[in-house]
């Protein structure tokens, strides 16, 4: 095991719980890296300085070397000197310095490129967590948030540069932990203590600081996704330390911690039992009676009990191999973009053409309840996570065959209930099975999925909930009825409220990982282009898409992103992911040839003629419609929906990046 080690906390009560004496670890006992070594059946990893100073024999290197140093930073020390920060001397041991140490001892590990490659193929590299101290120094000095936000890109580029160096040296498996939720750090809480309760979340953590580090982690994950593309042979794993720790403050008793979990075990008074003038290790400062009831040890570092839980979560999800299948089930809600058969199973007599060829011709070779020539994006997502295609709820209402997920989406479904449209004389809508109805179906099904709260927590902790795409039909019905884009904006708050309400209800039911997609660029949709056909060239962008509609979708998606940000603040410990369908799909229309779409980019593959091959009186499947010879070179299938080829690229962009924010968990399989 080779990884970037031992801090310098060398006085009691450090080390008291496990080692019974100080041993260089800034905790009362073992650290995450110690527990990982235990899980892997390896001895605790020795510090690099021990080898350098001759205290530890070089024969011990076969089990790995620890290069980490307490107080170390990602950036070099001169950065902090130039900024005038009062940085610790150990910032001279930046991650770049640690990488240099690793390169220096390479001859002691292996003596040729081939032997190094062989050793590294069975080695586990851990890069971090690192970067917290880079922000810790300016935070301690109360540097304005906007200033130290500018350091994020530089820190992340330094981290990724080190990872690239390791990969170029033939490292294969690299674990990259994200930053901790420093808004829960007692030293930071003490510095920024305020009587304004709105500044704190339900666990007592500072919201604005955690929001910053959550964004930092999202940026880091985006760069990790880029590295995965550049090094497809490597297994680059992101470890979500942020949410692992945040749950301790959200549900402390679930992990065996006490009620006042925000206080530290070893300190000397104050709101958080942290006092900078009399810190843990100072004369007269004693530790609590039972450190296992505390998350924080000394104001900066965590207790052995907390590190054990982080390692357990990490090992179960990542190190043991479960990261290859991060989800045991997927539950999907939405409309025809992801309906795998509910509309068909409902017995709805409308649009029966979709239940005949050429629907389904490409993959299923027959109609399969999907509005496409083949698979939908939700099918590709299920494939990527090693799960079967999601059965429609109407076919599994009794819970059979539902343990690996269920699809509640219905073609024509809206975020708002159907009565909203009937009261305004708009419609008829295709179905009454709105998002609210679909969530009700899930609640009805839930007792057959899990029985107790504990069982449900375990099950849903390994489940992905996809809430949408939904809302597109709400706009479709109004747009086609009024042919006035301006009429759409007043609906936006209502539609978003319906989506966030549904998302909140699913969280209350136990969902902890949810993806909420935005809307597609409808200004590039063949159906919309036909509906809003104009002789005015100014109405179109340079790619032929209708500008007013795309501008509306951008506005809508921006409002949705803002609403999801509020949801995240109100639900710490829950991963709420925005699915950027707009950005993922816009590529097809702005650079179609780059993605293999050489057909008529804005026209439907299957339709009844007209400028965009869309004719309402002869829709796809109608006897008077025609289908293109090769749907794979078209993005648009029938005027409204995407082809299988486009759905595949949409799913690929969500799973492999960069169109899910924060990124979805890494899948076991790439979408070919």
């Amino acid at each position: 095991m080779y990884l970037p080690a031992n801090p310098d906390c060398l006085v009691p009560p450090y080390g008291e719980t496990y080692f019974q004496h100080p041993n260089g670890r800034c905790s009362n006992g073992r650290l995450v890296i110690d527990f990982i070594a235990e899980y892997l059946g390896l001895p605790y990893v020795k510090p690099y300085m021990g080898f350098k100073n001759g205290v530890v024999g070089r024969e011990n290197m076969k089990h790995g070397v620890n290069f980490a140093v307490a107080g170390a930073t990602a950036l070099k020390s001169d950065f902090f000197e130039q900024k005038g920060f009062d940085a610790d001397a150990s910032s001279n041991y930046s991650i770049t310095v640690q990488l240099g140490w690793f390169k220096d001892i390479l001859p002691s590990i292996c003596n040729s490129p081939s032997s190094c490659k062989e050793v590294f193929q069975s080695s586990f590299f851990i890069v971090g967590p690192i970067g917290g101290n880079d922000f810790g120094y300016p935070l301690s000095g109360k540097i304005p948030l906007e200033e130290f936000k500018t350091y994020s890109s530089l820190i992340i580029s330094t981290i990724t540069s080190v990872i690239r160096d390791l990969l170029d040296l033939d490292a294969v498996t690299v674990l990259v932990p994200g930053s901790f939720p420093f808004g829960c750090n007692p030293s930071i809480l003490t510095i920024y203590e305020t009587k304004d309760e709105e500044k704190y979340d339900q666990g007592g953590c500072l919201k604005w600081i955690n929001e910053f580090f959550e964004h930092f982690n999202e940026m880091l994950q985006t760069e990790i996704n880029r590295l995965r593309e550049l090094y497809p042979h490597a297994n680059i794993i992101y470890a979500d330390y942020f949410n692992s720790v945040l749950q301790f403050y959200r549900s402390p008793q679930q992990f065996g911690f006490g009620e006042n979990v925000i206080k530290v075990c070893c300190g000397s008074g104050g709101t958080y039992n942290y006092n900078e003038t009399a810190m843990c290790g100072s004369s007269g400062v004693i530790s609590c009676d039972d450190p296992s009831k505390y998350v924080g040890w000394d104001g900066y570092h965590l207790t052995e009990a907390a590190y054990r839980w982080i390692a357990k979560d990490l090992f179960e999800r990542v190190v043991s191999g479960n990261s290859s299948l991060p989800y045991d089930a997927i539950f999907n809600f939405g409309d025809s973009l992801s309906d795998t058969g509910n509309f068909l199973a409902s017995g709805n007599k409308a649009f029966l053409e979709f239940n005949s060829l050429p629907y389904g011709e490409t993959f299923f070779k027959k109609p399969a309840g999907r509005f496409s020539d083949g698979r939908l994006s939700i099918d590709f997502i299920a494939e990527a996570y090693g799960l079967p295609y999601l059965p429609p709820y109407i076919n599994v209402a009794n819970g059979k065959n539902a343990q690996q997920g269920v699809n509640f989406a219905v073609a024509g479904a809206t975020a708002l209930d159907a009565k909203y449209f009937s009261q305004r004389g708009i419609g008829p809508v295709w179905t009454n099975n709105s998002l609210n109805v679909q969530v009700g179906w899930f609640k009805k099904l839930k007792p057959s999925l899990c029985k107790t709260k504990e069982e449900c927590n375990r099950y849903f902790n390994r489940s992905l909930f996809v809430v949408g795409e939904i809302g597109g039909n709400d706009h479709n019905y109004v747009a086609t009825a009024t042919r006035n884009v301006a009429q759409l904006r007043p609906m936006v708050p209502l539609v978003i409220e319906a989506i966030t309400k549904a998302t909140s209800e699913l969280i209350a039911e136990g969902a902890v990982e949810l993806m909420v997609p935005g809307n597609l660029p409808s200004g590039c949709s063949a159906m919309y282009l036909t509906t809003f056909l104009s002789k005015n060239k100014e109405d179109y962008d340079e790619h032929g898409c209708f500008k007013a509609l795309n501008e509306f979708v951008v506005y809508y998606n921006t409002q949705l992103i803002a609403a999801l940000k509020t949801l995240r603040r109100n639900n710490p410990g829950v991963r709420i992911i925005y699915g950027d369908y707009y950005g993922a799909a816009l590529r097809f229309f702005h650079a179609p040839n780059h993605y293999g779409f050489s057909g008529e980019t804005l026209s439907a593959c299957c339709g009844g003629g007209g400028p965009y091959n869309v004719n309402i009186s002869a829709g796809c499947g109608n006897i008077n419609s025609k289908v293109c010879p090769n749907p794979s070179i078209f993005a648009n299938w029938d005027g409204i929906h995407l082809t299988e080829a486009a759905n595949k690229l949409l799913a690929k962009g969500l799973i492999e990046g960069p169109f899910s924010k924060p990124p979805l968990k890494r899948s076991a399989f790439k979408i070919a």
Side-chain angles (χ1 to χ4, degrees):
M1 187 185 298
Y2 299 93
L3 56 153
N6 285 357
D8 188 27
C9 301
L10 298 176
V11 295
Y14 285 93
E16 67 175 15
T17 297
Y18 182 79
F19 301 99
Q20 274 77 59
H21 59 81
N23 63 356
R25 292 162 170 82
C26 288
S27 181
N28 61 307
R30 290 162 290 184
L31 310 177
V32 173
I33 185 59
D34 297 316
F35 288 111
I36 291 176
E38 287 183 6
Y39 283 137
L40 295 176
L42 296 171
Y44 298 140
V45 186
K46 303 295 184 182
Y48 165 77
M49 289 295 185
F51 296 105
K52 182 179 179 181
N53 298 329
V55 177
V56 180
R58 299 236 158 190
E59 67 277 1
N60 288 294
M61 284 187 183
K62 66 180 180 180
H63 295 303
V65 181
N66 196 332
F67 301 96
V69 182
T73 52
L75 303 177
K76 294 179 181 179
S77 57
D78 56 5
F79 173 85
F80 302 99
E81 292 168 5
Q82 291 168 7
K83 296 288 183 181
F85 297 144
D86 184 19
D88 191 283
S90 56
S91 61
N92 288 319
Y93 301 128
S94 69
I95 192 171
T96 307
V97 171
Q98 295 173 32
L99 177 66
W101 291 346
F102 170 70
K103 291 179 178 179
D104 287 343
I105 66 166
L106 269 181
S108 299
I109 299 170
C110 48
N111 52 27
S112 69
S114 60
S115 65
C116 288
K117 186 172 185 178
E118 184 178 347
V119 170
F120 295 160
Q121 282 180 339
S122 58
S123 297
F124 190 44
F125 291 77
I126 304 178
V127 182
I130 190 78
N133 288 323
D134 297 71
F135 294 115
Y137 297 129
L139 273 171
S140 297
K142 287 198 170 185
I143 301 299
L145 175 65
E146 292 306 316
E147 181 177 337
F148 73 77
K149 267 184 178 180
T150 61
Y151 311 154
S152 296
S153 296
L154 185 58
I155 292 167
I156 288 172
S157 67
T158 303
I159 295 170
T160 53
S161 174
V162 168
I163 298 169
R164 289 187 69 162
D165 271 16
L166 292 172
L167 294 170
D168 289 338
L169 288 168
D170 288 320
V172 175
T173 302
V174 183
L175 179 78
V176 188
S179 285
F180 287 93
F182 284 97
C184 307
N185 184 300
S187 66
I188 299 297
L189 284 165
T190 300
I191 293 170
Y192 291 92
E193 188 172 4
T194 173
K195 293 181 179 180
D196 185 355
E197 294 182 1
E198 292 298 312
K199 297 285 187 182
Y200 300 93
D201 65 19
Q202 66 192 68
C205 304
L206 281 166
K207 291 191 284 190
W208 67 272
I209 293 179
N210 277 353
E211 286 169 11
F212 167 76
F213 281 99
E214 190 171 29
H215 178 64
F216 174 83
N217 286 337
E218 290 174 15
M219 292 174 63
L220 177 60
Q221 290 176 78
T222 298
E223 291 307 308
I224 289 172
N225 281 336
R226 291 201 175 105
L227 286 176
R228 288 169 179 157
E229 290 291 317
L230 292 171
Y231 297 88
H233 69 285
N235 184 21
I236 309 171
I237 306 163
Y238 174 75
D240 188 5
Y241 280 19
F242 184 94
N243 283 301
S244 282
V245 174
L246 201 62
Q247 61 186 340
F248 301 157
Y249 299 98
R250 188 182 182 212
S251 307
Q253 293 177 340
Q254 181 181 337
F255 300 93
F257 298 120
E259 291 183 5
N260 201 350
V261 73
I262 207 74
K263 284 192 172 185
V264 303
C265 169
C266 185
S268 57
T271 306
Y272 305 100
N273 197 33
Y274 172 82
N275 184 341
E276 195 172 36
T277 62
M279 295 168 59
C280 185
S282 300
S283 177
V285 177
I286 61 173
S287 63
C288 60
D289 292 334
D290 187 358
S292 70
K293 297 296 183 184
Y294 287 76
V295 175
W297 166 246
D298 60 4
Y300 293 97
H301 309 97
L302 306 185
T303 60
E304 177 182 271
Y307 286 132
R308 181 196 296 273
W309 278 112
I310 296 169
K312 183 176 185 294
D313 189 41
L314 172 65
F315 189 79
E316 289 179 351
R317 292 174 181 270
V318 178
V319 181
S320 66
N322 285 344
S323 66
S324 62
L325 293 172
Y327 305 119
D328 292 335
I330 297 175
F331 297 97
N332 181 73
F333 305 80
D335 54 30
S336 58
L337 291 182
S338 60
D339 181 0
T340 56
N342 280 310
F343 187 83
L344 179 62
S346 69
N348 197 313
K349 302 293 184 184
F351 306 100
L352 290 179
E353 294 89 348
F354 97 98
N355 194 30
S356 60
L357 288 170
Y359 283 93
E361 67 172 17
T362 297
F363 182 78
F364 300 100
K365 310 303 179 188
K366 61 180 180 180
R370 292 157 171 82
F371 282 78
S372 182
D373 62 307
R375 290 163 290 183
L376 309 178
S377 59
I378 193 63
D379 294 316
F380 287 108
I381 290 172
E383 282 185 9
Y385 292 112
L387 295 170
Y389 300 138
L390 303 185
Y393 165 77
I394 292 175
N395 288 348
V396 295
N398 59 3
K400 291 181 180 177
N401 303 316
Q403 284 298 317
Q404 291 183 289
V406 178
N407 196 338
F408 300 93
V410 184
T414 49
L416 301 174
D417 288 334
K419 67 179 181 181
Y420 173 89
F421 303 96
S422 62
Q423 289 172 353
R424 289 159 179 76
I426 296 170
V429 298
W430 288 18
T431 178
N432 292 325
N433 296 318
S434 65
L435 180 58
N436 180 50
V437 172
Q438 294 174 31
V439 172
W441 286 349
F442 171 77
K443 292 178 181 179
K444 185 177 179 182
L445 184 69
K446 182 181 173 183
S448 66
L449 299 171
C450 52
K451 302 299 182 186
T452 66
K453 187 176 187 300
E454 292 74 20
E455 184 184 350
C456 289
N457 285 343
R458 285 194 301 270
Y459 179 49
F460 294 137
N461 196 46
R462 298 271 300 170
S463 299
L464 173 66
F465 289 74
V466 183
V467 188
E469 181 277 335
I470 192 77
N473 284 325
D474 299 69
H475 306 137
N476 289 348
Y477 293 131
V478 174
T480 53
T482 65
R483 286 177 168 75
N484 186 343
V485 178
Q487 294 290 321
L488 303 179
R489 288 210 174 203
M491 295 175 60
V492 170
L494 298 174
V495 171
I496 290 177
E497 182 183 6
I499 293 171
T500 53
K501 178 177 179 290
T503 305
S504 296
E505 288 184 25
L506 292 171
I507 292 170
E509 294 296 327
V512 294
E513 181 137 357
L514 308 97
M515 180 170 72
V516 184
N519 282 177
L520 292 166
S522 55
C524 304
S525 161
M527 184 274 288
Y528 268 122
L529 287 166
T530 300
T531 301
F532 287 88
L533 190 62
S534 171
K535 294 181 180 179
N536 185 357
K537 292 183 178 180
E538 294 300 313
D539 289 337
Y540 301 91
D541 66 19
E542 66 270 32
H543 305 286
C545 298
F546 197 74
K547 288 193 292 188
L549 278 167
N550 277 356
E551 288 167 0
F552 164 74
V553 175
V554 170
Y555 167 76
Y556 167 82
N557 288 341
T558 301
Q559 300 304 305
L560 177 61
I561 291 168
L564 295 183
K565 185 176 180 180
T566 301
L567 267 184
R568 291 188 191 104
R569 281 201 303 267
N570 295 337
N571 296 279
V574 176
R575 288 191 86 229
I576 302 173
I577 301 162
Y578 173 67
D580 184 9
Y581 278 29
Y582 184 92
L586 200 64
R587 302 173 298 166
F588 313 156
F589 306 106
H590 283 189
N593 291 328
H594 182 73
Y595 297 98
F597 297 118
S598 55
E600 296 178 43
T601 307
L602 298 176
S603 291
C605 167
C606 182
Y612 301 100
N613 198 28
V614 173
N615 184 339
I616 294 175
S617 63
C620 183
N622 185 285
I623 192 171
N624 295 317
S625 70
K626 293 181 179 179
V627 63
C628 63
N630 185 5
S632 70
I633 65 172
F634 280 74
N636 196 294
W637 167 244
D638 60 6
I640 304 175
H641 309 98
L642 301 177
T643 58
E644 177 179 275
N647 278 315
K648 178 188 285 190
L649 281 167
L650 180 61
K652 187 179 178 72
L654 294 170
I655 295 169
E656 298 176 13
F659 296 104
S660 57
K661 302 168 185 179
L664 281 164
K665 290 177 181 174
R666 193 179 183 194
S667 67
F669 317 102
K670 285 187 176 292
I671 297 176

